[in-house]
Amino acid sequence: MKGIITKSTGLWYEVRTENGETVPCRLRGKFRIDGNKNTNPAVVGDHVSFDLEKDNTGFITEIEKRKNYIDRKSTKLSKINHLIAANIDQAFLLVTLKEPRTSLGFIDRFLVACEGFRIPVCIVFNKMDIYSLKEINKIEELALLYQSIGYEVIQSSIIENKGIGIIKKMMQGKVSLFSGHSGVGKSAMINSIDAELHLKVGEISQFHNKGKHTTTFAQMFPLSQSGFIIDTPGIKEFGLIQYSREEIRDYFPEIRAYNNQCRFHNCCHVNEPDCAVKKAVEERKIPSSRYLNYLAILQADDMKLADWQLL
């Protein structure tokens, strides 16, 4: 039988068959082999084949080739990757200026991870109803910054029903991934998009001003309007896997546009002379925060990641 993984809880996977039934499945031992660089061999969004057992559970026998996936560095195993989801049409990154606060470093690392497979990303500045005029102006600056690079940007508020209709329309007939820190409003947003899902909504910890986890495992839900949505656990940090210098250079679209204009064809835009990228930064054609984050990712130095205050 064939189906798609809609939930992963570690040892067990929920597989949605072509007729809409859900079958709990496990992996055959061959998928857990030495040398596997992922913490999870199968992931939500994977198209799989499985054998149905007498107790109506299944064993996954084949994982089809993925068209794309999003992964990040495992929080406990620095040299091992953790797959978040696979076979995604687009990603929505929910961002908040406060309650909780999202850093520019987090945003740019997520964008780099998506650029590896050219997964379109829409940055959603959520909770617009809680911001002061000064904070709204800051968000307007950031929106213009990312729009100038080519990213879709939406400002949203569940309380004011702002931006929800636009997001809902964008999701029709597609597999969409929602990501962001815990507490940015992913579950509440998904409930606003499709009220039939009834996802549990969390609260903000007043002590740490951070969101409490309401989604423990990534899960895919069919939408009543057509399409699927993947709700992911809140991500505290987004550690990137080990990319090559050339890959990082290519995963910043505004930097990629200048790659062929430097004196050296392999210019990494750090200390090389006659660098078109450094000139573009000086002329403010490339945002300084993005260039600083490019350098920090290139040098694997999180302490140098640019933040809100640099704008």
Side-chain angles (χ1 to χ4, degrees), residues 12-133:
W12 286 92
Y13 301 85
E14 289 185 4
V15 177
R16 178 185 173 91
T17 64
E18 295 170 340
N19 60 8
E21 296 178 354
T22 299
V23 179
C25 294
R26 287 172 289 176
L27 284 173
R28 288 288 188 198
K30 68 176 183 178
F31 292 107
R32 299 185 177 280
I33 57 176
D34 292 336
N36 194 322
K37 295 183 179 180
N38 301 318
T39 60
N40 44 343
V43 68
V44 167
D46 272 334
H47 295 270
V48 299
S49 298
F50 65 95
D51 292 335
L52 191 63
E53 304 294 304
K54 292 180 180 180
D55 61 356
N56 290 322
T57 65
F59 271 105
I60 295 173
T61 58
E62 181 184 0
I63 302 172
E64 295 182 15
K65 184 178 180 180
R66 301 171 177 126
K67 72 173 184 180
N68 61 38
Y69 57 85
I70 294 181
D71 62 355
R72 65 186 179 99
K73 189 183 297 181
S74 173
T75 54
K76 295 181 180 179
L77 302 167
S78 62
K79 295 184 179 180
I80 302 296
N81 304 335
H82 178 76
L83 298 177
I84 297 174
N87 300 313
I88 304 154
D89 293 323
Q90 60 187 351
F92 291 85
L93 179 63
L94 269 66
V95 171
T96 45
L97 195 63
K98 62 182 182 182
E99 299 182 23
R101 174 180 163 277
T102 306
S103 70
L104 291 183
F106 181 89
I107 295 173
D108 288 344
R109 282 183 290 189
F110 183 87
L111 296 178
V112 166
C114 290
E115 279 291 332
F117 282 106
R118 300 293 190 265
I119 298 172
V121 180
C122 176
I123 301 172
V124 181
F125 288 96
N126 197 27
K127 301 186 182 181
M128 291 301 297
D129 54 285
I130 71 171
Y131 301 129
S132 66
L133 180 59

Side-chain angles (χ1 to χ4, degrees), residues 58-290:
F59 271 105
I60 295 173
T61 58
E62 181 184 0
I63 302 172
E64 295 182 15
K65 184 178 180 180
R66 301 171 177 126
K67 72 173 184 180
N68 61 38
Y69 57 85
I70 294 181
D71 62 355
R72 65 186 179 99
K73 189 183 297 181
S74 173
T75 54
K76 295 181 180 179
L77 302 167
S78 62
K79 295 184 179 180
I80 302 296
N81 304 335
H82 178 76
L83 298 177
I84 297 174
N87 300 313
I88 304 154
D89 293 323
Q90 60 187 351
F92 291 85
L93 179 63
L94 269 66
V95 171
T96 45
L97 195 63
K98 62 182 182 182
E99 299 182 23
R101 174 180 163 277
T102 306
S103 70
L104 291 183
F106 181 89
I107 295 173
D108 288 344
R109 282 183 290 189
F110 183 87
L111 296 178
V112 166
C114 290
E115 279 291 332
F117 282 106
R118 300 293 190 265
I119 298 172
V121 180
C122 176
I123 301 172
V124 181
F125 288 96
N126 197 27
K127 301 186 182 181
M128 291 301 297
D129 54 285
I130 71 171
Y131 301 129
S132 66
L133 180 59
K134 182 179 180 181
E135 290 166 336
I136 290 173
N137 289 336
K138 179 67 70 176
I139 288 173
E140 292 286 356
E141 289 180 36
L142 290 168
L144 289 173
L145 185 157
Y146 286 103
Q147 284 173 329
S148 70
I149 297 167
Y151 290 105
E152 188 88 25
V153 175
I154 294 174
Q155 296 180 19
S156 66
S157 166
I158 297 162
I159 301 298
E160 299 174 348
N161 195 32
K162 180 179 181 179
I164 308 300
I166 298 172
I167 296 171
K168 189 173 181 178
K169 186 175 181 180
M170 290 175 66
M171 295 175 64
Q172 289 181 354
K174 295 183 177 181
V175 176
S176 303
L177 178 137
F178 270 48
S179 191
H181 289 316
S182 296
V184 295
K186 295 190 301 297
S187 297
M189 175 75 72
I190 293 170
N191 286 338
S192 297
I193 291 167
D194 194 330
E196 295 181 10
L197 295 178
H198 303 295
L199 270 63
K200 183 179 178 182
V201 178
E203 301 174 348
I204 297 295
S205 166
Q206 296 301 315
F207 183 73
H208 293 291
N209 198 31
K210 295 180 180 179
K212 298 178 181 179
H213 294 283
T214 54
T215 305
T216 307
F217 302 100
Q219 189 165 2
M220 175 186 283
F221 302 95
L223 297 171
S224 56
Q225 64 179 17
S226 81
F228 291 86
I229 186 167
I230 299 175
D231 185 23
T232 62
I235 301 172
K236 183 179 179 181
E237 300 293 340
F238 200 93
L240 288 173
I241 62 171
Q242 191 63 44
Y243 292 119
S244 69
R245 295 170 71 88
E246 291 76 15
E247 286 174 325
I248 296 171
R249 183 184 62 189
D250 289 342
Y251 294 166
F252 280 74
E254 69 277 40
I255 290 176
R256 184 171 67 235
Y258 287 90
N259 278 346
N260 296 326
Q261 299 181 33
C262 299
R263 180 199 291 186
F264 303 104
H265 69 89
N266 60 346
C267 182
C268 285
H269 321 305
V270 182
N271 298 315
E272 299 89 340
D274 297 331
C275 173
V277 168
K278 290 191 293 183
K279 182 179 179 182
V281 174
E282 292 172 0
E283 296 175 350
R284 298 188 178 182
K285 294 177 181 178
I286 292 178
S288 60
S289 67
R290 288 278 290 175

